[in-house]
């Protein structure tokens, strides 16, 4: 950034001056970031995902919670349940996620697991042999039917019809998983996987009845795409203050993108208002 500043604008800035600007931006973003967190956690449904991070070379985890219009980020020590609880607080809505064990304590009735991850697992088993291969292929076929019905729903927008069309597929999938989950020699390579969706079966189908819920966790993965690139370029943070700047800055960046707003314009208005003591422009 120091080199670009001088190259493009003839403006000499030391790395220390740039860090001071980042900390000023972090302070300016604090209030709006807190309001953004409240808005996201007040939504009836959200999507969650996490990825690796580092601070001074120590492993950390970047957590994300997003809706269609906003996203918040939090850097935690690890990928464990306690960090998820810190992110969500007492959230009572529907959580879309993958099947990572940190989400296991969530009520399956208030959860939607990602069907794209199920497809990946079925495809892996379809590359096996014998009974495992047949199981994987059958699972892929059923998942394909689910996505066909979901694509049709994008046209007719009738969730009662969607639930009705998916009812026989639900029955077939349950039969497939129960048969594969039995302890036997032919199922030894896939029975562990088969039993996991059975334990959270309602979480497979929340999208059939709940407004704003999709069968995949693509929204959360898209929200993390830019931050992952940033992590690779920046090599993480170097201090707790740097972590707060990243949390607030990424939340503003992704939220502006979701809302179709210019991040540059927003930050310019924010920092100007902060310097003048004027009310800060809202992210919500």
């Amino acid at each position: 950034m120091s080199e670009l500043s001088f190259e493009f604008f003839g403006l000499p800035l030391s790395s220390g001056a740039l860090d001071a600007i980042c900390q000023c931006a972090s302070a300016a973003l604090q209030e709006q970031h807190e309001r953004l967190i409240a808005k996201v956690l007040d939504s009836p449904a959200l999507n969650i995902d996490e990825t690796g991070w580092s601070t001074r070379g120590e492993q950390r985890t970047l957590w994300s919670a997003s809706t269609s219009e906003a996203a918040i980020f939090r850097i935690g020590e690890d990928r464990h349940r306690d960090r998820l609880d810190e992110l969500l607080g007492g959230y009572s809505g529907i959580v879309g996620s993958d099947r990572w064990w940190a989400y296991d304590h969530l009520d399956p009735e208030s959860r939607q697991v990602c069907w794209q991850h199920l497809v990946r697992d079925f495809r892996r088993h379809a590359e096996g042999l014998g009974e495992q291969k047949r199981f994987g292929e059958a699972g892929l076929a059923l998942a394909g039917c689910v996505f066909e019905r979901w694509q049709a729903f994008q046209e007719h927008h009738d969730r009662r019809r969607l639930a009705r069309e998916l009812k026989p597929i639900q029955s077939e999938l349950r039969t497939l998983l129960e048969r594969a989950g039995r302890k036997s020699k032919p199922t030894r390579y896939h029975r562990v996987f088969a039993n996991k969706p059975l334990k959270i079966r309602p979480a497979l189908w929340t999208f059939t009845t709940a407004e704003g819920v999709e069968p995949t966790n693509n929204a959360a993965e898209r929200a993390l795409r830019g931050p992952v690139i940033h992590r690779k370029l920046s090599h993480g943070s170097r201090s707790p203050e740097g972590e707060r700047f990243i949390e607030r800055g990424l939340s503003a960046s992704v939220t502006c993108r979701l809302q179709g707003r210019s991040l540059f314009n927003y930050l310019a208005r924010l920092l100007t208002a902060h310097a003048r003591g004027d009310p800060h422009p809202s992210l919500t």
Side-chain angles (χ1 to χ4, degrees):
M1 287 299 298
S2 179
E3 291 174 358
L4 288 174
S5 174
F6 184 76
E7 188 74 22
F8 289 145
F9 308 111
L11 182 65
L13 282 175
S14 67
S15 57
L18 284 165
D19 182 66
I21 293 172
C22 290
Q23 292 308 312
C24 178
S26 181
L29 281 165
Q30 180 178 1
E31 180 183 356
Q32 294 307 316
H33 184 246
E34 291 173 355
R35 292 184 178 181
L36 190 63
I37 291 173
K39 178 178 176 62
V40 170
L41 296 183
D42 191 48
S43 62
L46 52 78
N47 292 83
I48 294 182
D49 203 0
E50 76 289 328
T51 188
W53 193 260
S54 68
T55 299
R56 287 187 176 178
E58 296 183 2
Q59 290 300 311
R60 309 278 277 172
T61 298
L62 179 66
W63 290 83
S64 169
S66 59
T67 67
S68 61
E69 296 183 347
I72 56 174
F73 293 86
R74 183 186 182 94
I75 297 175
E77 296 178 8
D78 47 47
R79 299 174 66 196
H80 297 169
R81 170 182 170 177
D82 290 347
R83 307 293 86 74
L84 176 64
D85 291 341
E86 289 172 2
L87 176 70
L88 291 180
Y91 181 70
S92 58
I94 296 171
V95 174
S97 71
D98 56 28
R99 302 192 314 279
W100 178 243
W101 65 265
Y103 305 109
D104 286 350
H105 69 289
L106 298 175
D107 183 358
E109 300 284 350
S110 299
R111 183 182 176 194
Q112 175 62 55
V113 297
C114 180
W115 270 85
Q116 287 287 7
H117 286 77
L118 284 169
V119 167
R120 295 173 199 170
D121 288 325
F122 281 131
R123 184 174 293 117
R124 176 170 56 86
H125 289 294
E127 294 171 353
L129 299 172
E131 185 65 25
Q132 181 187 17
K133 178 180 177 65
R134 288 188 287 273
F135 166 75
E137 290 174 343
L140 284 174
L142 289 174
C145 292
V146 169
F147 283 111
E148 285 179 6
R149 302 301 187 276
W150 176 251
Q151 289 173 2
F153 169 76
Q154 305 306 304
E155 300 293 332
H156 61 68
H157 304 290
D158 184 344
R159 286 194 182 266
R160 294 178 65 181
R161 174 180 166 183
L162 175 66
R164 184 171 63 252
E165 292 176 343
L166 285 174
K167 191 170 183 179
I169 299 174
Q170 292 183 42
S171 179
E172 288 183 53
L173 180 65
R174 180 173 182 174
T175 300
L176 175 69
L177 294 173
E178 287 178 343
R179 184 170 61 246
R182 296 168 186 161
K183 189 173 182 179
S184 66
K185 189 174 180 179
T187 63
R188 65 187 181 278
Y189 295 119
H190 55 280
R191 65 170 174 260
V192 172
F193 160 70
N195 280 310
K196 289 181 179 179
L198 283 172
K199 293 177 181 178
I200 55 171
R201 191 171 64 255
L204 297 174
W205 308 106
T206 306
F207 74 95
T208 62
T209 56
E211 292 293 334
V213 178
E214 299 185 355
T216 72
N217 200 36
N218 291 349
E221 294 182 355
R222 284 193 296 268
L224 276 176
R225 192 169 298 155
V228 167
I229 295 172
H230 176 75
R231 178 195 68 202
K232 293 178 179 179
L233 296 174
S234 67
H235 306 293
S237 310
R238 294 186 61 81
S239 68
E241 292 78 13
E243 290 184 346
R244 302 294 82 75
F245 169 67
I246 289 298
E247 292 171 347
R248 297 165 187 172
L250 289 179
S251 297
S253 174
V254 176
T255 296
C256 283
R257 177 177 60 79
L258 290 172
Q259 296 176 1
R261 301 166 64 182
S262 165
L263 175 65
F264 177 85
N265 288 341
Y266 174 76
L267 290 178
R269 291 170 53 218
L270 175 76
L271 291 173
T272 301
H274 186 69
R276 292 175 175 173
D278 294 339
H280 292 178
S282 175
L283 276 171
T284 59

